[in-house]
Amino acid sequence: MAMSAPTAPPPRSMANKIYHGITTFVFVGLHVACFGVIWTGINATAAILCIVLYVVRMWAITAGYHRYFSHRSYKTSRVFQFILAFIGSSATQKGVLWWAANHRHHHQHSDTEEDVHSPIQDGFLWSHIGWIMSEDYLTYDGERVKDLSKYPELRWIDKYHLVSVVGLAVLCYFIGSWTGAGAFTTLTWGYFVSTVAVSHVTFSINSLTHMIGKRRYVTSDDSRNHWLLALLTLGEGWHNNHHYYQTSARQGFYWWEVDISYYTLVFLQWIGIVWDVRVPDENVMSANRVQA
């Protein structure tokens, strides 16, 4: 199936071309830098750093960029809101307003010709990685995130999202120097390998969970639940559940559907950092089932 952009691209400006060049260089460079493991090897410090930064930033994407900023499935303070945006931006998936605006567009047009990343319409490669690298989606519709853009600190971190990226890479480098684990070893595993892993596992929700897995609920798209992707993404793999009831902070609706992001939100609500955490009631969960 041809990989074509679902909407007409905006006019190209020189600033956009420069920005596109920078982001493409960074994205490709991340993958190339991972080959550094051939020379650096690995040690306990680098392995632990890689795992910790994977989990922390995956959580910031799932519980922050996705469930909070895109769907407002719970409430929190302005300070913690900024913390979520800052840590999420360190995952190198662009700014929080860009991410939320495009995700809201996806839900409005899921698996139609207007969807920015539908594998049903444009194939796996486009939905997984093509649209992100395309010059067509450098900007976003600000009308979709007016509730977020009223905060100047969110506009700042959205515009300067590479600040947290560079800061994290520098921190990984110095951790290796301070601990004796090797600066380039901790940089390679802590930032590059971890970031690429977070990126592709996150992207798999755009692509694979509209292709493989099971459907519990009738939705207007082809969203599906997949247990393995749910484990890797801390709960995002219950994608059909999510498309059925988008404003829920809980995406694993039943006890056997592991949703680590939701469990952490329950804890944060218990200690008062977040509140009004939305979940579906029994009537919602039992309705609109796909018939065998």
Side-chain angles (χ1 to χ4, degrees):
M1 191 175 292
M3 294 195 307
S4 59
T7 56
R12 308 294 201 274
S13 67
M14 182 57 65
N16 276 357
K17 288 181 179 295
I18 293 173
Y19 178 68
H20 181 248
I22 293 172
T23 55
T24 301
F25 175 80
V26 169
F27 189 77
V28 174
L30 287 173
H31 292 73
V32 173
C34 289
F35 287 101
V37 301
I38 298 172
W39 294 276
T40 66
I42 190 171
N43 52 50
T45 301
I48 293 171
L49 186 62
C50 181
I51 294 170
V52 168
L53 288 177
Y54 174 89
V55 172
V56 169
R57 293 186 295 161
M58 180 62 75
W59 182 85
I61 292 293
T62 62
Y65 267 32
H66 188 206
R67 302 188 198 193
Y68 178 72
F69 290 109
S70 298
H71 293 288
R72 311 309 297 268
S73 63
Y74 60 92
K75 297 178 182 178
T76 190
S77 67
R78 192 164 170 176
V79 172
F80 193 67
Q81 174 180 266
F82 180 76
I83 292 172
L84 286 173
F86 189 85
I87 298 175
S89 66
S90 72
T92 323
Q93 293 185 25
K94 297 189 179 181
V96 61
L97 302 184
W98 178 91
W99 206 103
N102 279 292
H103 189 73
R104 290 176 181 184
H105 183 278
H106 160 67
H107 272 275
Q108 183 178 359
H109 303 285
S110 184
D111 284 339
T112 70
E113 291 183 356
E114 291 298 312
D115 192 348
V116 297
H117 50 63
S118 170
I120 308 304
Q121 294 292 330
D122 301 297
F124 170 80
L125 287 177
W126 175 266
S127 66
H128 189 77
I129 197 172
W131 79 280
I132 296 169
M133 299 186 68
S134 171
E135 194 175 347
D136 295 347
Y137 301 105
L138 292 178
T139 58
Y140 59 88
D141 181 0
E143 290 296 312
R144 293 186 180 276
V145 287
K146 290 176 67 175
D147 56 320
L148 303 175
S149 59
K150 66 182 180 181
Y151 299 104
E153 65 272 22
L154 292 184
R155 296 198 304 271
W156 182 86
I157 194 61
D158 180 76
K159 183 176 182 180
Y160 300 108
H161 55 88
L162 290 179
V163 169
S164 61
V165 170
V166 174
L168 179 62
V170 171
L171 178 61
C172 288
Y173 179 89
F174 281 109
I175 286 175
S177 297
W178 297 331
T179 62
F184 286 104
T185 304
T186 53
L187 172 62
T188 301
W189 285 96
Y191 176 68
F192 292 116
V193 174
S194 177
T195 299
V196 169
V198 169
S199 297
H200 285 286
V201 173
T202 303
F203 301 162
S204 71
I205 302 302
N206 295 338
S207 55
L208 292 178
T209 56
H210 285 256
M211 300 174 70
I212 61 174
K214 297 181 178 180
R215 288 174 56 78
R216 173 182 289 133
Y217 298 106
V218 176
T219 59
S220 61
D221 51 45
D222 205 37
S223 57
R224 297 167 181 269
N225 293 332
H226 197 285
W227 67 271
L228 179 57
L229 293 174
L231 291 177
L232 293 174
T233 58
L234 310 184
E236 298 295 294
W238 308 117
H239 202 55
N240 178 243
N241 294 354
H242 169 59
H243 270 258
Y244 168 60
Y245 198 75
Q246 299 170 20
T247 58
S248 174
R250 180 180 185 178
Q251 295 188 10
F253 285 179
Y254 297 94
W255 66 265
W256 62 86
E257 295 180 335
V258 178
D259 187 348
I260 296 173
S261 291
Y262 172 67
Y263 306 152
T264 59
L265 290 174
V266 171
F267 173 74
L268 291 174
Q269 180 171 237
W270 181 65
I271 62 177
I273 293 178
V274 306
W275 54 90
D276 292 346
V277 177
R278 297 181 182 179
V279 296
D281 60 31
E282 194 62 39
N283 291 331
V284 170
M285 292 194 297
S286 61
N288 295 315
R289 297 296 186 105
V290 172
Q291 298 298 314

